[in-house]
C-alpha cells in the first residue's frame, strides 16, 4: 500500500537535498541560541562554538547535550530564546515527581507543529474528507491540541472530545462516524471494550504518548477492527508528530527530520549504528521559542533508513523499547516493562490491564511482581499464573511473582497516560491483592 504525501517537498525529497536543508537550518538554530545568551548558549560557547558557521551536522556528536534536568533547573522559561512578546502559548507535561516541564511556543513553532501533525494524520490515511475523533486530553498536555492543529491544517473535521466520559465518546463515534481515532493506546483498548464488538466507521487510529507493544497493537486492531499506528513525540521537542508511523512505513515511525534531527546514542553518549537500540537525542532545527540542541530524551529506540522505493524518504525509528529510567535491574538482569507486556499479551487469557511492580522492600533481593487480570472469571487462575511465570522466566531470565487478580481489579486510566509500572519500597502494596 502506498499512502500519498501531505507535503511532498518535505517528506519525499531526496535525502542528500534534505541534508543540505538540515545543515542550513542547524547553523541558523545555533546562531539563534548563541544570540540569546541563555545557559545553553553558554554551554555551546564553552565547547568552542562562537557562531553557526563553526558547526556541521557531522560534528554534532561532539557538542554538549541537554536534559530535562536542565529545563527544570531553568524553570520556567530560562531556556527560552524568543522575545516574550513573540510567545503565543505554553505547553508541557506534569512529568515524574510532579515537577512540570514548560515549553514556550512562537507562532512559527505552532506552524511547524501543525504541518508535522498534518503529515502524521495524512500518513494514517486521513484526508480533507476525514472526521477525526480526538480523545487525547486538551490542556497543557500536547496530545489534544497537537492533533487539533494538524487535523485542521489537513482540512479534516476534528471532533475535540478530549479524554474521559467514555459513554459520551461512544455516542459521538456512533453519531459523527469518524474514520480516524486519536487517543492513548490504553484508552483505545478501553473504548474498544466499551463498544462491546459493535461495528463503527473507524478505519485507522494514531496512538501514542505512552509505551505500547506489538501485542497491544494486535489487541487494539482486533477489538476496534482498525489499523493501529504509533505516534511519538515529547513536549520538549514540539509534542506529538516528532515521528509517526504511516500505513506504508512497515511498522516503524517516519521521523520529521527536516525539523527534528535525530541521533541514537549509547549510555556513554556515543552514536550507535542503525538497527541498534540507543537513547534518542533530538536537535530542533527550526524551533524559535525554545530550541534545544542535542536534547537527551531518555527514550530508547533503534533508527533505520527509509523503506526503499516508497514515496517517504525520511529516516525511521522503531517503536520505543523503553526509557533509560524505566529500565529495571532485577537481581542484575535488565528488564524493560515493555518486554513484560509482550509476554503477558501474547497469552489470550490475559486482559491488557496489568501492573508491573518493582518490589525493593528488601534492597538486597529485589523482586519483579506482575499483577494481571484474566478476561473472564472462568479462567483457571493458578494455571494461568504458572504459565505466565514460565513464559516470563524464558523471556527475561528471571523468576517473577505473578498474581492473577479478579477481572476489573487493575485501575483503568480514562484521562491521561496509563501507569503500568509502580515501585514498592515500603508500606502498603501499590495495588491491593499483591
Ligand atoms: O506524550 C506527546 C504525545 C502526545 C505523543 C500524543 C504522542 C501522542 P509528553 O507528555 O511530553 O509528550 O511525554 C513525552 O512520552 O518522552 C516518551 O517517553 C513517551 N511517549 C510519547 N509517545 C510515545 C510512544 C507526549 N508512541 C514522553 N510510545 C516521551 C512510547 C511514548 N512512549
Amino acid at each position: 500500500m502506498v499512502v500519498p504525501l501531505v507535503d511532498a517537498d518535505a517528506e519525499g525529497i531526496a535525502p542528500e537535498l534534505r541534508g543540505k536543508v538540515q545543515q542550513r537550518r542547524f547553523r541558523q538554530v545555533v546562531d539563534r541560541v548563541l544570540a540569546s545568551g541563555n545557559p545553553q548558549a553558554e554551554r555551546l560557547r564553552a565547547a568552542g562554538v562562537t557562531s553557526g558557521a563553526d558547526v556541521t551536522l557531522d560534528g554534532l556528536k561532539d557538542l554538549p547535550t541537554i536534559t530535562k534536568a536542565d529545563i527544570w533547573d531553568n524553570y520556567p522559561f530560562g531556556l527560552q530564546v524568543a522575545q516574550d512578546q513573540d510567545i503565543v502559548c505554553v505547553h508541557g507535561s506534569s512529568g515524574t515527581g510532579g515537577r512540570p516541564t514548560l515549553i514556550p511556543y512562537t507562532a512559527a513553532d505552532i506552524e511547524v507543529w501543525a504541518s508535522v501533525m498534518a503529515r502524521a494524520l495524512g500518513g494514517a490515511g486521513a484526508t480533507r474528507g476525514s472526521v477525526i475523533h480526538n480523545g487525547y486530553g486538551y490542556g497543557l498536555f500536547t496530545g489534544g491540541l497537537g492533533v487539533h492543529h494538524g487535523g485542521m491544517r489537513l482540512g479534516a473535521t476534528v471532533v475535540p472530545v478530549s479524554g474521559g466520559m467514555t459513554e459520551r465518546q461512544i455516542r459521538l463515534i456512533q453519531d459523527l462516524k469518524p474514520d480516524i481515532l486519536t487517543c492513548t493506546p490504553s484508552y483505545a483498548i478501553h473504548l474498544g471494550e466499551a463498544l462491546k464488538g459493535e461495528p463503527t466507521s473507524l478505519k485507522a487510529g494514531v496512538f501514542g504518548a505512552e509505551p505500547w507493544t506489538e501485542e497491544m497493537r494486535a489487541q487494539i486492531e482486533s477489538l476496534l477492527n482498525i489499523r493501529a499506528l504509533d505516534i511519538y513525540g515529547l513536549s520538549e521537542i514540539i509534542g506529538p508528530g516528532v515521528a509517526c508511523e504511516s500505513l506504508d512505513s512497515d511498522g516503524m515511525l517516519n521521523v520529521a527530520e527536516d525539523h527534528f534531527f535525530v541521533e541514537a546514542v549509547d549510555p556513554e553518549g556515543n552514536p550507535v549504528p542503525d538497527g541498534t537500540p540507543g537513547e534518542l537525542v533530538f536537535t530542533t532545527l527550526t524551533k524559535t521559542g525554545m530550541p534545544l540542541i542535542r536534547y537527551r530524551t531518555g527514550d530508547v529506540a533503534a533508527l533505520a533508513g527509509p523503506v526503499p522505493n516508497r514515496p517517504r524518504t525520511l529516516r525511521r525509528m522503531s517503536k520505543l523499547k523503553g526509557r533509560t529510567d524505566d529500565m529495571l535491574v532485577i537481581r542484575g538482569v535488565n528488564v524493560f516493562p515493555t518486554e513484560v507486556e509482550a509476554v503477558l499479551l501474547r497469552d489470550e487469557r490475559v486482559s491488557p490491564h496489568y501492573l508491573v511492580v518493582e518490589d525493593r522492600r528488601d534492597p538486597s533481593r529485589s523482586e519483579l511482581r506482575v499483577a494481571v487480570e484474566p478476561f473472564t472469571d472462568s479462567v483457571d487462575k493458578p494455571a494461568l499464573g504458572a504459565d505466565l511465570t514460565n513464559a516470563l522466566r524464558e523471556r527475561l531470565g528471571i523468576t517473577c511473582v505473578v498474581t492473577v487478580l479478579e477481572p476489573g481489579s487493575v485501575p483503568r486510566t480514562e484521562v491521561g497516560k496509563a501507569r503500568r509500572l509502580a515501585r514498592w519500597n515500603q508500606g502498603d502494596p501499590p495495588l491491593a491483592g499483591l
Side-chain angles (χ1 to χ4, degrees):
M1 166 188 278
V2 169
V3 191
L5 303 178
V6 171
D7 183 347
D9 283 345
E11 295 171 277
I13 193 175
E16 307 75 61
L17 289 178
R18 182 181 297 116
K20 291 194 177 138
V21 175
Q22 288 171 319
Q23 183 65 58
R24 177 164 42 80
R25 291 178 170 176
F26 178 44
R27 294 196 151 139
Q28 289 167 343
V29 75
V30 166
D31 277 333
R32 282 199 296 282
V33 170
L34 286 172
S36 76
N38 78 10
Q40 197 179 192
E42 281 166 29
R43 218 180 271 190
L44 285 173
R45 283 217 170 80
V49 180
T50 56
S51 134
D54 294 344
V55 296
T56 62
L57 281 170
D58 287 340
L60 186 62
K61 58 180 186 322
D62 301 319
L63 294 186
T65 55
I66 189 155
T67 63
K68 208 180 197 67
D70 296 306
I71 301 181
W72 283 336
D73 289 347
N74 292 285
Y75 179 87
F77 299 127
L79 294 179
Q80 183 179 313
V81 158
Q83 301 290 314
D84 285 348
Q85 63 265 29
D86 291 329
I87 299 301
V88 298
C89 68
V90 175
H91 278 284
S93 57
S94 49
T96 40
R99 278 202 278 180
T101 311
L102 293 183
I103 313 295
Y105 291 62
T106 62
D109 296 336
I110 299 293
E111 280 293 306
V112 167
W113 196 14
S115 81
V116 295
M117 275 309 301
R119 290 186 212 168
L121 293 163
T127 63
R128 284 178 58 83
S130 288
V131 175
I132 300 172
H133 181 100
N134 185 15
Y136 285 114
Y138 280 64
L140 262 192
F141 174 57
T142 50
L145 281 154
V147 170
H148 197 94
H149 293 310
M152 296 213 308
R153 168 61 53 87
L154 195 64
T157 304
V158 183
V159 187
V161 197
S162 199
M165 292 201 266
T166 304
E167 266 174 42
R168 191 182 67 170
Q169 302 234 5
I170 287 178
R171 180 75 200 258
L172 286 168
I173 290 173
Q174 286 161 339
D175 294 350
L176 304 186
K177 312 225 171 329
D179 49 337
I180 304 286
L181 172 65
T182 55
C183 60
T184 60
S186 51
Y187 194 65
I189 292 265
H190 191 65
L191 269 179
E193 288 176 345
L195 275 159
K196 299 196 180 84
E198 195 184 313
T200 71
S201 50
L202 292 168
K203 295 199 178 99
V206 180
F207 306 121
E210 60 186 30
W212 57 305
T213 55
E214 290 298 337
E215 287 71 16
M216 177 82 84
R217 189 203 300 273
Q219 292 208 352
I220 295 175
E221 293 193 332
S222 87
L223 258 177
L224 285 164
N225 194 25
I226 57 172
R227 277 287 301 274
L229 303 180
D230 195 358
I231 183 163
Y232 167 79
L234 58 170
S235 355
E236 294 89 320
I237 299 304
I238 200 90
V242 173
C244 188
E245 230 179 313
S246 50
L247 292 169
D248 58 0
S249 64
D250 288 3
M252 293 182 87
L253 293 80
N254 311 298
V255 180
E257 48 160 348
D258 49 328
H259 295 292
F260 315 113
F261 189 87
V262 64
E263 303 167 81
V265 302
D266 67 16
E268 281 73 50
N270 300 313
V272 296
D274 279 7
T276 305
E279 180 180 351
L280 299 176
V281 177
F282 282 100
T283 296
T284 61
L285 298 175
T286 49
K287 265 267 193 100
T288 51
M290 194 184 107
L292 292 176
I293 291 167
R294 301 203 76 211
Y295 182 69
R296 282 186 81 144
T297 61
D299 293 325
V300 178
L303 299 178
V307 186
N309 308 316
R310 294 271 169 82
R312 283 177 185 75
T313 56
L314 298 161
R315 280 170 67 67
R316 293 174 302 151
M317 58 177 254
S318 67
K319 268 179 108 46
L320 245 61
K321 313 226 176 266
R323 287 190 47 80
T324 48
D325 51 8
D326 254 13
M327 194 179 78
L328 309 172
V329 184
I330 304 292
R331 303 190 294 275
V333 177
N334 298 349
V335 181
F336 279 121
T338 48
E339 293 176 281
V340 177
E341 175 177 302
V343 172
L344 300 182
L345 300 194
R346 212 165 285 158
D347 191 307
E348 285 177 355
R349 294 165 291 179
V350 180
S351 105
H353 307 288
Y354 68 89
L355 186 71
V356 176
V357 178
E358 183 191 25
D359 179 354
R360 287 206 177 279
R361 284 171 304 159
D362 173 359
S364 65
R365 198 182 154 75
S366 53
E367 289 280 8
L368 194 65
R369 294 178 180 270
V370 182
V372 297
E373 288 179 8
F375 271 116
T376 59
D377 284 326
S378 57
V379 166
D380 176 346
K381 292 202 187 85
L384 176 58
D387 290 350
L388 290 176
T389 307
N390 285 336
L392 286 166
R393 191 185 303 118
E394 219 156 88
R395 167 85 179 240
L396 309 176
I398 51 168
T399 304
C400 305
V401 184
V402 177
T403 309
V404 183
L405 299 167
E406 294 300 323
S409 3
V410 178
R412 276 43 171 173
T413 309
E414 282 211 34
V415 180
K417 304 188 186 218
R419 276 218 184 88
R420 301 207 189 85
L421 170 66
R423 292 190 157 98
W424 187 6
N425 295 325
Q426 55 182 26
D428 292 339
L431 181 64
L434 273 187

